[in-house]
Amino acid sequence: MSSGNKPKTKITIKPFRHQVQMDPNYAENTWSLLRNAIHEIHKKNASGLSFEELYRNAYNMVLHKYGDRLYSGLRDVVHQHLREVADQVTSVHDDQFLDAINTAWSEHKVSMLMIRDILMYMDRVYVVHNSVASVYDLGLQLFSENIARNPKIKDRLLKLVLDSIKRERGGEVIPRSQLKSVTQMLVDLGISSRAVYEEDFEKPFLETSASFYRVESLQFIAENSCSDYMRKVEIRLKEEVERVQHYMDPATEPKIREVAERELISNHMKSLVEMEGSGEVSMLKDDKLDDLNRMFNLLGRVPKGHELMRNVMSALVKETGKAIVEAPENQSKDKSYVQTLLDLKDKYDKILNIAFVNEKQFQHCLNQAFEFFINLNQRSPEFISLFIDEKLRKGLKGATEEDIEKALDKVMTLFRFIQEKDVFEKYYQQHLAKRLLLNRSVSDAERSMIQKLKTECGYQFTSKLEGMFTDMKLSADTMDNFKAYVQDLEPGSLGGVDLSVHVLTTGYWPTQPNAKSVLPQEVQRACEVFTKFYLNNHSGRRLAWQTNMGTAELRAQFGPKKHELTVSTYQMAILLLFNQTSSMSFKDMLEHTGVTVVDLKRNLATLTSAKYKLLLIKGAAAAAKKKKDDDEEKEDGEGAGAGAVEKAAPTPITEDSVFLFNDKFRSKLYRVKILQVVQKETEPEREGTQKKIDEDRKHMIEAAIVRVMKARKSMEHSALIAEVTKQLAGRFRPNPVMIKKRIESLIERDYLERSAQSQKTYNYLA
């Protein structure tokens, strides 16, 4: 018998299970215990409860699949309790209503926290598996449904809260802690959302605030000046921010700020800015920096606020500046003209710096306004150059180097606004030449000014000016060599003349080709000695004497008195004529000196002026005496005290005038400096200057055209015009017609050609 023939059997041992029969009423009995406990919690009798036992009961209900019964039972109990609480709250008078709401909310939160502790296992298991609200969140939902959004409570609560805010805006003190509890309750009831807070409070709050400030702003603006209105607005905006910080959700702050700014500022900013007598124009005129800064800050809060301010400021500055440049008294007075513009610039720079905190767009707007009106006056470049000339002349009373430097920095701001900088360059070159040749220059300040111009406009702009300084230095070395050369000559070879010469490079200096005159023989002899010396040392060069730019020192005898006179070369030639005669006619002077009629009249006007009177005009004294007698007769006929006698006008110099040497001339000073009467540039002279400028511009335009075309090879007409204008903008604003003429000239000279494909396209010819 073999054991292999028997079938194999598998023995399974099952675990012993004790079959416990569940009480059919277990769930209801357990729930009854838990419900009673919840009632006790609501009655504030929780101290007598065993939370450990209650937790175990709730745990068992969930464990035995009675979670549904527990969750629904909880909802029903809390719902019923909150309905009773709602009835209690609605019966309370308005004075205690907010307190009642806050008390109900506070007690409900405490109750739900205790209940949540008891039902913690349900939160962990049942709530998660069934995707329902947690115990605490369920309590929030039920509180929202039964109390916060109860039709009898919701509107009443909102009205009381908004009324409290309105009273606070009116100056009353309200219990902010109450409102803080209410708004926080609405936030909490949103359960990770601001929906309840926004719908039940924030939205109506913003609407009523807009309505409130709409009415108040109209009243404010009707009763107050612009300054007072802005102060009230500042206070209101500050109050709203503080209000949010004390009893609202932080997210409300930007919303209420936007509402207040729209109603108080944006809707009235045009009226505020243009308010007559107190708006922005009045503030700018009266330098009300604090008010302007307040307006800048307030209008900066709203869209297009600063743009409106800039437009008003720009219009005022343009109007003021235009009045200055077009004023008849400023058309010929360069000093007052430029100083008035500088004062205006200082005024608005101060406003820009203090009131507008140097905001870039305001700065750009101000610069555009100045550029607009300064270029309305074609003589602005000339006047600015004359102003600089006055500041740089040696001997400027009471001015230190620091004062001059500050003045130059200020005037450079005006220079930047000039479009025709080449006109300024031409006049500056003329004025610098006079300062250097007459030794009236403050050298350090001159160098500083040229450096400023170089920084602003580039090396090319100042190359001629720097060449003038180089010539002055080389001239000093040349004169040292000339003095050594003269010492080796025979005594008296210069005829007693102490000659000093400045050798000027043609092209650097504003020389006049036709500036010729007949020099006295002794001076002419000295000049010939220098010419011989110079040409021996510099072969191939040619000297042209610019007598109109020189000065001379003369020793003169006026009766018993001797004086040393500093005069121009032309004045020297005139005065030396009186060594041979005591009187001479204008026509004879013209013949003997060889100067032009205009220059002769200009120099004689100085020599016969009331300040110096080195020469007298024949017949002028008798005429003056006769006029005096006639005036006295007239006064006797009209009675005493008829008024002041009109000052006699200077005798005009004509080509028929005869001049006498005034040996009765007297001065307290031994050295007398005869300053030439500074006359404004005559119309023919101005036309000549403009002609030179136009000629220079032709060359600059052609050079720019060639540069552009050499780089591009081929270019369309309008594009070429735009590019040339852009390149020359730093020097002047070329007229498109002028550019077109220069293009035609270059085509004629075979620098350019028109394209065969298009007449509006040009090709560069190498």
Side-chain angles (χ1 to χ4, degrees):
M1 184 174 172
S2 173
S3 59
N5 295 330
K6 292 181 180 180
K8 294 181 179 180
T9 58
K10 186 177 181 180
I11 300 172
T12 301
I13 302 175
K14 294 182 178 180
F16 172 76
R17 289 187 178 180
H18 179 68
Q19 296 293 327
V20 179
Q21 225 25 47
M22 178 67 70
D23 183 355
N25 298 321
Y26 169 76
E28 287 302 322
N29 292 337
T30 305
W31 164 240
S32 179
L33 289 172
L34 292 171
R35 182 180 57 208
N36 291 336
I38 293 171
H39 283 315
E40 291 302 312
I41 289 172
H42 284 151
K43 293 176 183 178
K44 304 175 188 177
N45 295 329
S47 59
L49 299 175
S50 171
F51 278 79
E52 184 180 353
E53 182 181 348
L54 293 171
Y55 175 83
R56 191 180 305 115
N57 287 328
Y59 173 86
N60 287 331
M61 283 192 72
V62 174
L63 191 65
H64 291 96
K65 310 301 181 185
Y66 293 113
D68 286 339
R69 180 71 184 93
L70 181 59
Y71 192 84
S72 61
L74 171 66
R75 182 173 55 241
D76 294 341
V77 170
V78 174
H79 175 74
Q80 183 60 36
H81 168 72
L82 290 177
R83 290 187 64 180
E84 294 171 2
V85 172
D87 292 339
Q88 294 172 8
V89 170
T90 53
S91 64
V92 174
H93 191 269
D94 285 352
D95 293 344
Q96 286 83 39
F97 187 79
L98 293 180
D99 278 335
I101 287 284
N102 288 330
T103 300
W105 169 243
S106 177
E107 291 177 353
H108 178 71
K109 286 194 295 181
V110 173
S111 300
M112 290 310 300
L113 288 173
M114 292 182 180
I115 295 169
R116 183 184 66 182
D117 290 343
I118 294 172
L119 306 179
M120 191 178 296
Y121 187 72
M122 183 175 73
D123 259 352
R124 291 177 183 173
V125 179
Y126 177 82
V127 167
V128 173
H129 288 170
N130 292 275
S131 300
V132 293
S134 66
V135 171
Y136 190 80
D137 289 349
L138 176 63
L140 296 180
Q141 291 174 0
L142 293 172
F143 190 90
S144 177
E145 294 170 8
N146 290 280
I147 296 181
R149 291 190 158 182
N150 186 312
K152 296 180 180 179
I153 295 175
K154 178 183 176 182
D155 294 339
R156 188 178 172 190
L157 174 63
L158 177 62
K159 182 178 182 301
L160 288 172
V161 171
L162 295 179
D163 284 348
S164 296
I165 295 172
K166 185 177 180 180
R167 291 203 318 273
E168 187 180 43
R169 285 173 176 158
E172 293 185 32
V173 178
I174 63 169
R176 287 181 164 182
S177 58
Q178 281 186 346
L179 299 185
K180 174 66 177 173
S181 298
V182 170
T183 56
Q184 188 58 50
M185 173 191 75
L186 295 175
V187 172
D188 292 344
L189 292 176
I191 310 174
S192 303
S193 164
R194 299 180 71 254
V196 176
Y197 173 83
E198 288 177 353
E199 293 173 18
D200 293 7
F201 169 72
E202 188 179 76
K203 186 177 178 181
F205 165 69
L206 295 176
E207 290 173 354
T208 55
S209 296
S211 178
F212 174 82
Y213 284 125
R214 191 175 302 120
V215 174
E216 185 178 72
S217 63
L218 291 172
Q219 182 182 352
F220 275 0
I221 206 164
E223 298 174 354
N224 296 278
S225 66
C226 179
S227 301
D228 293 337
Y229 179 89
M230 290 192 299
R231 290 189 187 95
K232 291 180 182 292
V233 170
E234 278 186 331
I235 293 170
R236 281 305 194 195
L237 293 175
K238 184 179 178 182
E239 287 176 351
E240 289 302 330
V241 171
E242 290 179 351
R243 190 168 290 119
V244 172
Q245 291 173 347
H246 279 93
Y247 55 83
M248 295 183 200
D249 185 66
T252 303
E253 182 179 328
K255 297 179 181 179
I256 184 60
R257 192 168 59 236
E258 190 274 333
V259 167
E261 288 168 356
R262 182 183 68 245
E263 299 298 336
L264 294 172
I265 304 173
S266 188
N267 291 348
H268 302 288
M269 62 183 181
K270 197 170 188 298
S271 300
L272 287 171
V273 168
E274 297 176 356
M275 189 176 286
E276 190 173 351
S278 64
E280 185 183 357
V281 170
S282 176
M283 294 176 188
L284 290 169
K285 287 181 177 179
D286 298 336
D287 294 332
K288 294 184 177 179
L289 301 180
D290 290 340
D291 288 339
L292 285 168
N293 181 250
R294 185 174 289 109
M295 179 178 282
F296 175 81
N297 291 331
L298 288 177
L299 266 64
R301 293 168 170 260
V302 298
K304 298 187 177 180
H306 279 173
E307 181 183 344
L308 178 62
M309 286 187 71
R310 287 195 299 271
N311 292 340
V312 171
M313 181 186 73
S314 177
L316 177 63
V317 174
K318 286 180 180 178
E319 180 186 346
T320 307
K322 189 176 180 182
I324 292 171
V325 300
E326 293 181 351
E329 63 269 20
N330 288 330
Q331 292 300 311
S332 58
K333 296 180 180 179
D334 51 273
K335 296 177 186 176
S336 61
Y337 173 80
V338 176
Q339 190 57 56
T340 305
L341 292 181
L342 287 175
D343 293 342
L344 185 67
K345 188 68 170 66
D346 285 344
K347 171 189 173 75
Y348 281 96
D349 280 346
K350 184 178 180 182
I351 290 172
L352 182 68
N353 184 40
I354 298 175
F356 302 150
V357 295
N358 274 328
E359 204 272 338
K360 287 184 178 179
Q361 288 184 308
F362 275 82
Q363 194 170 30
H364 179 65
C365 174
L366 187 62
N367 290 344
Q368 282 186 322
F370 268 82
E371 183 176 351
F372 164 78
F373 65 74
I374 282 180
N375 289 288
L376 291 177
N377 189 340
Q378 293 183 348
R379 298 188 65 187
S380 288
E382 177 189 356
F383 286 164
I384 291 174
S385 179
L386 283 168
F387 184 83
I388 295 172
D389 180 58
E390 182 194 8
K391 296 299 179 186
L392 292 179
R393 264 183 279 152
K394 186 185 289 185
L396 197 61
K397 292 182 180 179
T400 63
E401 286 190 12
E402 186 178 353
D403 293 334
I404 295 174
E405 189 69 20
K406 287 181 179 178
L408 295 181
D409 285 336
K410 286 183 179 180
V411 83
M412 279 301 294
T413 61
L414 297 184
F415 170 77
R416 293 186 185 102
F417 301 135
I418 297 173
Q419 292 175 354
E420 297 184 337
K421 291 183 172 61
D422 58 334
V423 177
F424 170 87
E425 180 190 9
K426 188 65 69 177
Y427 282 107
Y428 188 84
Q429 188 183 30
Q430 293 176 6
H431 299 146
L432 175 61
K434 290 180 181 179
R435 291 197 299 273
L436 293 177
L437 295 175
L438 297 176
N439 196 27
R440 293 178 183 171
S441 169
V442 183
S443 59
D444 291 341
E446 292 282 9
R447 294 286 185 184
S448 174
M449 184 64 198
I450 289 179
Q451 187 59 45
K452 293 180 195 298
L453 292 172
K454 183 189 286 188
T455 303
E456 192 68 30
C457 302
Y459 169 76
Q460 187 178 2
F461 189 88
T462 58
S463 58
K464 291 182 180 180
L465 305 178
E466 291 178 321
M468 293 165 73
F469 280 94
T470 303
D471 281 352
M472 294 300 291
K473 184 177 183 304
L474 293 175
S475 293
D477 297 338
T478 300
M479 287 312 300
D480 290 340
N481 296 332
F482 177 65
K483 287 177 182 178
Y485 170 78
V486 170
Q487 287 178 356
D488 296 336
L489 299 177
E490 295 180 7
S493 57
L494 292 183
V497 175
D498 184 6
L499 185 67
S500 178
V501 180
H502 296 296
V503 182
L504 315 179
T505 303
T506 304
Y508 289 167
W509 298 77
T511 55
Q512 297 178 7
N514 59 347
K516 296 179 180 179
S517 67
V518 179
L519 294 172
Q521 288 183 0
E522 52 268 52
V523 177
Q524 184 65 37
R525 191 181 308 118
C527 290
E528 290 171 356
V529 173
F530 179 83
T531 301
K532 182 179 179 182
F533 156 77
Y534 188 81
L535 295 180
N536 285 340
N537 289 282
H538 302 86
S539 60
R541 295 189 183 182
R542 185 170 62 86
L543 290 180
W545 293 90
Q546 297 288 316
T547 52
N548 62 309
M549 301 172 73
T551 58
E553 291 185 358
L554 303 175
R555 291 189 183 91
Q557 182 86 29
F558 297 93
K561 285 275 188 178
K562 289 183 179 180
H563 290 285
E564 195 170 286
L565 308 177
T566 301
V567 294
S568 70
T569 305
Y570 287 166
Q571 290 168 352
M572 172 198 71
I574 294 168
L575 290 173
L576 288 178
L577 293 175
F578 288 90
N579 281 337
Q580 285 77 36
T581 180
S582 59
S583 68
M584 184 172 285
S585 68
F586 182 89
K587 292 179 180 178
D588 289 342
M589 283 186 188
L590 198 61
E591 182 182 346
H592 283 84
T593 59
V595 300
T596 64
V597 173
V598 173
D599 284 331
L600 185 58
K601 284 185 177 181
R602 185 175 294 176
N603 285 278
L604 284 171
T606 303
L607 296 174
T608 59
S609 66
K611 183 176 181 181
Y612 303 113
K613 278 198 176 180
L614 296 177
L615 301 178
L616 300 174
I617 302 175
K618 192 173 184 179
K625 185 176 185 304
K626 185 177 183 302
K627 186 176 188 306
K628 183 179 180 184
D629 293 340
D630 292 344
D631 289 340
E632 287 176 354
E633 270 182 40
K634 188 177 178 181
E635 285 183 9
D636 292 339
E638 294 179 357
V645 179
E646 183 182 353
K647 187 178 179 181
T651 305
I653 296 172
T654 67
E655 295 187 15
D656 296 325
S657 299
V658 177
F659 301 89
L660 307 173
F661 183 75
N662 182 18
D663 58 358
K664 294 181 180 179
F665 169 78
R666 298 291 182 268
S667 175
K668 295 179 181 179
L669 302 173
Y670 174 71
R671 287 177 174 272
V672 180
K673 186 176 287 187
I674 310 299
L675 298 175
Q676 184 170 317
V677 174
V678 179
Q679 295 185 358
K680 297 299 178 185
E681 196 176 30
T682 62
E683 196 58 38
E685 289 174 331
R686 188 172 295 111
E687 288 176 1
T689 302
Q690 188 60 46
K691 190 175 180 181
K692 290 178 184 177
I693 292 168
D694 290 341
E695 197 63 34
D696 290 343
R697 286 182 174 180
K698 288 179 183 178
H699 299 312
M700 284 190 281
I701 292 173
E702 288 183 354
I705 293 171
V706 171
R707 278 198 306 271
V708 173
M709 291 301 299
K710 191 173 183 179
R712 304 285 183 87
K713 304 302 180 187
S714 180
M715 207 166 185
E716 195 267 331
H717 176 78
S718 58
L720 179 58
I721 296 284
E723 184 62 29
V724 170
T725 302
K726 181 181 176 182
Q727 287 201 11
L728 295 174
R731 300 277 291 178
F732 65 99
R733 296 288 174 89
N735 189 320
V737 176
M738 187 183 291
I739 299 175
K740 188 174 185 298
K741 286 181 179 179
R742 300 333 307 156
I743 293 173
E744 297 292 342
S745 176
L746 290 171
I747 291 174
E748 291 174 3
R749 288 178 281 158
D750 295 331
Y751 284 92
L752 305 177
E753 68 173 3
R754 282 191 170 84
S755 172
Q757 287 76 26
S758 172
Q759 289 292 301
K760 291 185 178 181
T761 302
Y762 306 109
N763 297 328
Y764 176 71
L765 298 176

